[in-house]
Amino acid sequence: MAFTADKMFVNLPVKDLNKSIEFFTKLGFEFNAQFTDENATCMIINDNTFVMLLVESFFKTFTKKDISDTAKSTEVIVALSADSREQVDELVNKALAAGGQASNDPTDHGFMYTWSFQDIDGHLWELIYMDASAIQQA
């Protein structure tokens, strides 16, 4: 039997928790106060997907490995689906206005449109819109 999970939690180290909360709030994300303290917060993506933003010193208690230096390397790209091309553009533009950095230029594959940014800690986020009708035609 294949493994399935009811919920997904992505854990990301952050330098300044309050600045990270401020950044993602500007993008429209909400947080679960029940799982927020001086070390961490739980950012809600949807009912089953969450991003735990953990202060670096707290993050280090979960691993024996070094934390990736996001200025030099990438360990993960967090990819989120969007409802439209406009929603992709809106969220990336909000991220850039809130202090994020451009990662890649928008890419249009016809059936799929993507654009990405780096958050204030250098983590990569990619927004993806897939046109289901274009996929069916292909």
Side-chain angles (χ1 to χ4, degrees):
M1 184 160 105
F3 173 81
T4 60
D6 293 335
K7 300 194 184 305
M8 180 175 174
F9 295 84
V10 176
N11 295 275
L12 294 177
V14 299
K15 293 181 184 353
D16 185 317
L17 185 60
N18 290 329
K19 285 184 180 178
S20 292
I21 291 171
E22 180 183 342
F23 174 80
F24 285 107
T25 298
K26 289 179 181 176
L27 276 60
F29 289 100
E30 295 180 351
F31 301 85
N32 184 330
Q34 186 177 10
F35 299 107
T36 299
D37 61 20
E38 67 278 356
N39 288 313
T41 190
C42 178
M43 186 169 77
I44 302 165
I45 303 297
N46 61 42
D47 289 343
N48 296 309
T49 311
F50 310 89
V51 175
M52 298 299 298
L53 302 175
L54 309 172
V55 174
E56 286 182 345
S57 59
F58 185 58
F59 185 92
K60 287 179 183 180
T61 67
F62 295 96
T63 181
K64 294 178 182 175
K65 293 183 176 184
D66 292 336
I67 294 175
S68 295
D69 179 350
T70 58
K72 297 178 182 178
S73 62
T74 300
E75 184 173 28
V76 66
I77 299 172
V78 180
L80 302 176
S81 62
D83 293 332
S84 66
R85 292 171 185 256
E86 294 78 19
Q87 190 179 43
V88 168
D89 291 345
E90 179 184 348
L91 192 63
V92 173
N93 283 320
K94 283 182 180 180
L96 299 177
Q101 300 294 315
S103 182
N104 288 323
D105 292 330
T107 303
D108 188 347
H109 297 284
F111 70 96
M112 181 173 69
Y113 177 73
T114 68
W115 196 9
S116 57
F117 66 90
Q118 296 177 52
D119 67 22
I120 61 174
D121 287 289
H123 302 296
L124 299 178
W125 294 78
E126 183 170 37
L127 281 293
I128 302 165
Y129 167 69
M130 285 213 248
D131 182 350
S133 64
I135 294 171
Q136 293 171 354
Q137 293 172 6

